[in-house]
């Protein structure tokens, strides 16, 4: 049977770890909020949480529930895990916009590829090879043009 003092020490260690986690989450919440130029009052309006509660979370005096973390993350437009990762860079609005543009470009590319596949299915095997050779030749020419342009810009 473990000594009673050992059990109390384990309890203290657990309490210390949870306090450390609360402080870390609170500090991260504050960092993200300030990065987005929001006040605690802004979060109060969007989450329905009292400003005093948000303050206690940010100072590490209160560990938020999962529901509270979700409400805060939604208000900050971030995934919940960001609040647990101190070195994670929160994408700004420009980064999010670029990601959305990239997703739209990928969808367009996929649509183009599907149209190309559909068209190729209607060609004979010999015609498919001819289209492939022509595309490869065009790609080599484009690459050579790019290389010449890049060399000229460094001169």
């Amino acid at each position: 049977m473990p000594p009673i003092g050992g059990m109390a020490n384990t309890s203290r260690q657990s309490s210390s770890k949870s306090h450390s986690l609360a402080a870390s989450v609170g500090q991260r919440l504050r960092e993200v909020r300030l990065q987005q130029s929001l006040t605690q009052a802004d979060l109060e309006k969007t989450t329905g949480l009292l400003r005093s509660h948000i303050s206690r979370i940010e100072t590490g005096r209160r560990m938020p529930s999962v529901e509270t973390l979700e409400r805060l993350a939604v208000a900050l437009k971030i995934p919940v895990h960001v609040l647990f990762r101190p070195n994670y860079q929160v994408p700004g609005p420009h980064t999010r916009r670029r990601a959305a543009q990239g997703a739209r470009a990928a969808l367009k590319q996929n649509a183009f590829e599907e149209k190309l596949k559909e068209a190729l299915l209607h060609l004979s095997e010999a015609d498919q090879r001819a289209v492939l050779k022509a595309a490869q030749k065009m790609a080599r020419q484009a690459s050579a043009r790019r290389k010449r342009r890049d060399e000229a810009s460094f001169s």
Side-chain angles (χ1 to χ4, degrees):
M1 187 161 147
I4 294 175
M7 290 173 59
N9 188 23
T10 303
S11 175
R12 259 185 264 131
Q13 287 173 346
S14 175
S15 174
S16 173
K17 285 180 185 176
S18 66
H19 177 70
S20 175
L21 179 61
S24 175
V25 168
Q27 180 180 3
R28 187 67 179 133
L29 172 64
R30 179 177 167 80
E31 288 171 3
V32 173
R33 177 178 60 77
L34 292 175
Q35 282 176 359
Q36 297 185 18
S37 302
L38 296 173
T39 64
Q40 289 179 348
D42 295 329
L43 280 184
E44 181 180 44
K45 289 175 193 168
T46 55
T47 63
L49 300 169
L50 293 176
R51 194 176 332 174
S52 59
H53 185 63
I54 295 167
S55 175
R56 284 193 294 274
I57 293 170
E58 286 187 356
T59 57
R61 290 180 284 159
R62 179 104 169 110
M63 181 63 189
S65 67
V66 173
E67 178 189 350
T68 299
L69 284 170
E70 288 173 343
R71 288 166 73 177
L72 290 165
V74 167
L76 294 168
K77 298 178 178 86
I78 59 169
V80 173
H81 73 85
V82 169
L83 296 173
F84 292 94
R85 298 177 63 191
N87 297 326
Y88 182 81
Q89 291 300 314
V90 177
H94 301 297
T95 306
R96 286 189 208 119
R97 192 174 309 120
R98 280 193 300 270
Q101 289 169 343
R104 284 192 296 275
L107 286 174
K108 285 181 182 178
Q109 180 67 26
N110 289 343
F112 172 78
E113 289 171 0
E114 288 302 315
K115 287 179 184 178
L116 185 58
K117 282 181 195 176
E118 183 65 30
L120 289 171
L121 288 175
H122 296 288
L123 298 178
S124 68
E125 191 173 327
D127 288 342
Q128 288 176 358
R129 279 195 295 270
V131 168
L132 177 60
K133 282 186 180 185
Q136 289 171 331
K137 182 178 179 182
M138 291 169 66
R140 281 191 304 273
Q141 290 171 345
S143 178
R145 281 192 304 272
R146 245 188 329 274
K147 185 176 178 182
R148 284 192 303 271
R149 186 184 66 231
D150 289 346
E151 288 171 354
S153 69
F154 285 117
S155 303

